[in-house]
Amino acid sequence: MPYQPTLAYAQEQDRKDPLRGYREQFYFPQHQGRDTLYFTGNSLGLQPKSAKAALLHELEHWKNHAVEGHFRGEMPWMEYHKFLLPQTAHVVGAKEEEVIVMNTLTANLHLMMVSFYRPDAGRYKIIMEAGAFPSDQYAVESQVRWHGYTPEQAIVEVSPRAGEECLRTEDIIAIIEQHGKETALVLFGGVNYFTGQFFNLKAITEAAHKAGAYAGFDLAHAAGNVPLKLHDWEVDFAVWCSYKYLNSGPGGPSGAFVHERHGNKPELPRFAGWWGHDERERFLMRKGFHPMKGAAGWQLSNAQILSFAVHKASLDIFHQATMAALRTKSEKLTGYLEYLLQEIIQRKGGFHIITPNTPQNRGCQLSIYTHRDGRHLYNYLESHGVISDWREDNLHGGEVQPGQAGVIRVAPAPLYNSFQDVLEFATLLKDYEKNKSS
Ligand SMILES: *Cc1c(COP(=O)(O)O)cnc(C)c1O
């Protein structure tokens, strides 16, 4: 059945949604006595109701057993990182030994670059997307400087064509081919945080390998959002955070992926710590680092139990719902949002969508580019119980006035957002545009 712009239709879709029960498993911030329209799971996911019990469980364990908690109970802390592996592998399409949860995202990006950005006189360039998330830009800039290069020498950015906002895969590949012989690493986001574009990770990885370079990805906006097959795509490494789509709370732990091709090479250079050391002899306290097999061999420290406990509670929900079912709903839900927005655009046209209009090239987020008074529209939505976010235009340099042109990012998360949420959001937007022009 084609989409319809009515409440009856939206409610019917919600009734038929096989994942509808998951909404009840999350807390929504309240606005005037009802749930907000929460579309910011791309920034901080909602709290799963199971998080508190998971956290309290570990606090009790600590209270009752103190240091013995490392060895006692169903999930002894000594082994705790292992209890997150099946769910983590499911989310990113990996083998269990290819993933690990540790540290935070930017820290892991640096650790991965220590192993996979090893420039020499011939190969020293890093190819990345223009407009990458600032933390990634700073990480890359500091890495190339640390190896003695300037960003101008070593960083190659792929930009959209004039008049376009997203990148074309053929342009990414052309740049990789052009700089191939000098390229050490191709480092991309999975889903760009600003435009919502989901890059073709498989094609980028193939092109990087053909050029003799490694391919790594920052999946902050991809993990828990889009289908990933890191193992099959032969991605070399990836990192992500858990507090966005993965709903694991502010500052939650990061995940890392290292393909098994590399995970079983103990000679691969890395920065080491005791938790990455062969666990059979970890407590012999001897000299000489022998890494664990797989991604576990990149661990530095013992597990951050309290934040891992919350992360596990959330990952268990993803494992149960499955990424495949979430994606099926996500395509419909975001498609519905797009349909409703297009209706308004055709009539009024105060904004347009910069996210690709094909589901395979995006996740759940749509980025609405406002041509004028965008900040005002954002404030209007906020005062009516919408939680979205506002980003000043960063596509057109200094050419635009602050508060005018920019992007409102709206991310209906298939775990907890409904078709009715999407309809109510679009109705507010429509009313705003109508009042403005009357
Ligand atoms: C959110 C985000 C980060 C944040 O990094 P932290 O180290 O977790 O603070 C980094 N990169 C991208 C692409 C992001 O979207």
Side-chain angles (χ1 to χ4, degrees), residues 42-43 104-107 109 132-136 189 191 193 218-221 241 243-244 252 254:
N42 57 354
S43 188
T104 50
L105 195 169
T106 307
L109 185 55
F133 192 85
S135 199
D136 300 32
V191 173
Y193 79 101
D218 179 337
L219 303 177
H221 281 259
C241 57
Y243 47 82
K244 292 174 179 166
S254 167

Side-chain angles (χ1 to χ4, degrees), residues 278-294:
D278 183 353
E279 61 184 349
R280 290 166 304 183
E281 48 178 58
R282 189 181 289 147
F283 286 88
L284 299 180
M285 307 305 205
R286 284 202 199 116
K287 271 201 190 308
F289 174 66
H290 304 296
M292 299 274 295
K293 268 179 83 175

Side-chain angles (χ1 to χ4, degrees), residues 268-397:
L268 197 64
R270 67 193 78 189
F271 284 174
W274 72 322
W275 230 250
H277 187 85
D278 183 353
E279 61 184 349
R280 290 166 304 183
E281 48 178 58
R282 189 181 289 147
F283 286 88
L284 299 180
M285 307 305 205
R286 284 202 199 116
K287 271 201 190 308
F289 174 66
H290 304 296
M292 299 274 295
K293 268 179 83 175
W298 271 263
Q299 292 173 103
L300 300 180
S301 302
N302 69 103
Q304 303 133 244
I305 300 300
L306 301 183
S307 63
F308 279 28
V310 173
H311 187 32
K312 182 179 181 306
S314 179
L315 281 174
D316 286 343
I317 300 175
F318 280 84
H319 207 200
Q320 192 186 34
T322 75
M323 284 308 298
L326 285 164
R327 177 60 171 180
T328 302
K329 174 175 172 185
S330 181
E331 288 188 7
K332 275 189 213 156
L333 193 61
T334 292
Y336 189 47
L337 176 61
E338 180 181 43
Y339 159 81
L340 295 169
L341 293 177
Q342 289 300 355
E343 274 213 328
I344 306 170
I345 291 168
Q346 272 156 24
R347 260 185 264 142
K348 295 278 180 251
F351 55 85
H352 73 280
I353 301 170
I354 62 173
T355 309
N357 60 7
T358 40
Q360 72 270 23
N361 301 118
R362 68 186 184 205
C364 71
Q365 170 184 327
L366 293 183
S367 302
I368 303 172
Y369 187 94
T370 61
H371 302 172
R372 54 187 177 274
D373 65 327
R375 178 85 216 185
H376 194 259
L377 166 60
Y378 168 78
N379 291 343
Y380 169 87
L381 293 168
E382 191 180 34
S383 69
H384 287 77
V386 174
I387 303 187
S388 59
D389 88 6
W390 166 254
R391 295 280 153 135
E392 295 288 341
D393 182 316
N394 72 1
L395 301 168
H396 302 98

Side-chain angles (χ1 to χ4, degrees), residues 219-286:
L219 303 177
H221 281 259
N225 178 23
V226 289
L228 296 166
K229 292 186 179 166
L230 299 185
H231 175 82
D232 292 349
W233 296 339
E234 305 209 350
V235 164
D236 294 292
F237 72 85
V239 292
W240 56 94
C241 57
S242 64
Y243 47 82
K244 292 174 179 166
Y245 293 105
L246 292 176
N247 310 319
S248 299
S254 167
F257 165 91
V258 178
H259 199 280
E260 68 179 354
R261 294 193 301 288
H262 310 300
N264 298 331
K265 276 192 234 150
E267 70 281 8
L268 197 64
R270 67 193 78 189
F271 284 174
W274 72 322
W275 230 250
H277 187 85
D278 183 353
E279 61 184 349
R280 290 166 304 183
E281 48 178 58
R282 189 181 289 147
F283 286 88
L284 299 180
M285 307 305 205
R286 284 202 199 116

Side-chain angles (χ1 to χ4, degrees), residues 17-291:
D17 170 14
L19 299 176
R20 67 185 173 280
Y22 286 99
R23 184 181 175 94
E24 299 306 318
Q25 296 190 27
F26 291 87
Y27 291 110
F28 282 74
Q30 298 296 297
H31 175 82
Q32 296 176 352
R34 54 173 303 211
D35 291 351
T36 46
L37 296 173
Y38 195 81
F39 294 114
T40 329
N42 57 354
S43 188
L44 186 75
L46 292 179
Q47 182 182 138
K49 291 180 180 170
S50 54
K52 192 174 181 179
L55 187 55
L56 286 176
H57 182 271
E58 298 311 324
L59 286 172
E60 280 297 302
H61 200 58
W62 178 22
K63 184 173 92 183
N64 295 327
H65 304 286
V67 73
E68 300 296 335
H70 285 103
F71 315 103
R72 290 192 188 156
E74 275 174 25
M75 293 191 290
W77 299 331
M78 195 72 136
E79 311 272 325
Y80 206 91
H81 53 283
K82 296 180 189 168
F83 306 128
L84 287 73
L85 299 183
Q87 308 92 315
T88 301
H90 170 75
V91 167
V92 298
K95 296 187 175 180
E96 284 184 32
E97 67 167 45
E98 291 175 318
V99 293
I100 195 69
V101 175
M102 59 181 186
N103 314 316
T104 50
L105 195 169
T106 307
N108 285 340
L109 185 55
H110 278 295
L111 289 181
M112 290 295 123
M113 290 176 76
V114 164
S115 295
F116 295 100
Y117 177 57
R118 315 242 329 124
D120 59 30
R123 286 187 186 273
Y124 57 92
K125 290 185 179 171
I126 299 180
I127 298 179
M128 63 191 299
E129 85 229 56
F133 192 85
S135 199
D136 300 32
Q137 295 186 35
Y138 306 147
V140 170
E141 178 187 331
S142 59
Q143 284 274 342
V144 304
R145 285 191 197 280
W146 188 68
H147 284 286
Y149 299 91
T150 62
E152 292 72 27
Q153 289 171 314
I155 302 175
V156 178
E157 290 190 336
V158 189
S159 301
R161 293 187 187 182
E164 298 184 8
E165 283 120 350
C166 293
L167 297 179
R168 298 193 190 193
T169 305
E170 74 240 45
D171 291 353
I172 300 171
I173 290 172
I175 297 229
I176 296 173
E177 285 171 355
Q178 186 191 334
H179 295 270
K181 287 203 183 68
E182 295 113 48
T183 300
L185 173 65
V186 178
L187 179 71
F188 260 71
V191 173
N192 181 274
Y193 79 101
F194 191 78
T195 63
Q197 179 178 13
F198 178 22
F199 297 114
N200 188 334
L201 272 54
K202 183 165 183 268
I204 293 172
T205 303
E206 274 171 15
H209 289 172
K210 221 163 128 193
Y214 286 128
F217 295 93
D218 179 337
L219 303 177
H221 281 259
N225 178 23
V226 289
L228 296 166
K229 292 186 179 166
L230 299 185
H231 175 82
D232 292 349
W233 296 339
E234 305 209 350
V235 164
D236 294 292
F237 72 85
V239 292
W240 56 94
C241 57
S242 64
Y243 47 82
K244 292 174 179 166
Y245 293 105
L246 292 176
N247 310 319
S248 299
S254 167
F257 165 91
V258 178
H259 199 280
E260 68 179 354
R261 294 193 301 288
H262 310 300
N264 298 331
K265 276 192 234 150
E267 70 281 8
L268 197 64
R270 67 193 78 189
F271 284 174
W274 72 322
W275 230 250
H277 187 85
D278 183 353
E279 61 184 349
R280 290 166 304 183
E281 48 178 58
R282 189 181 289 147
F283 286 88
L284 299 180
M285 307 305 205
R286 284 202 199 116
K287 271 201 190 308
F289 174 66
H290 304 296

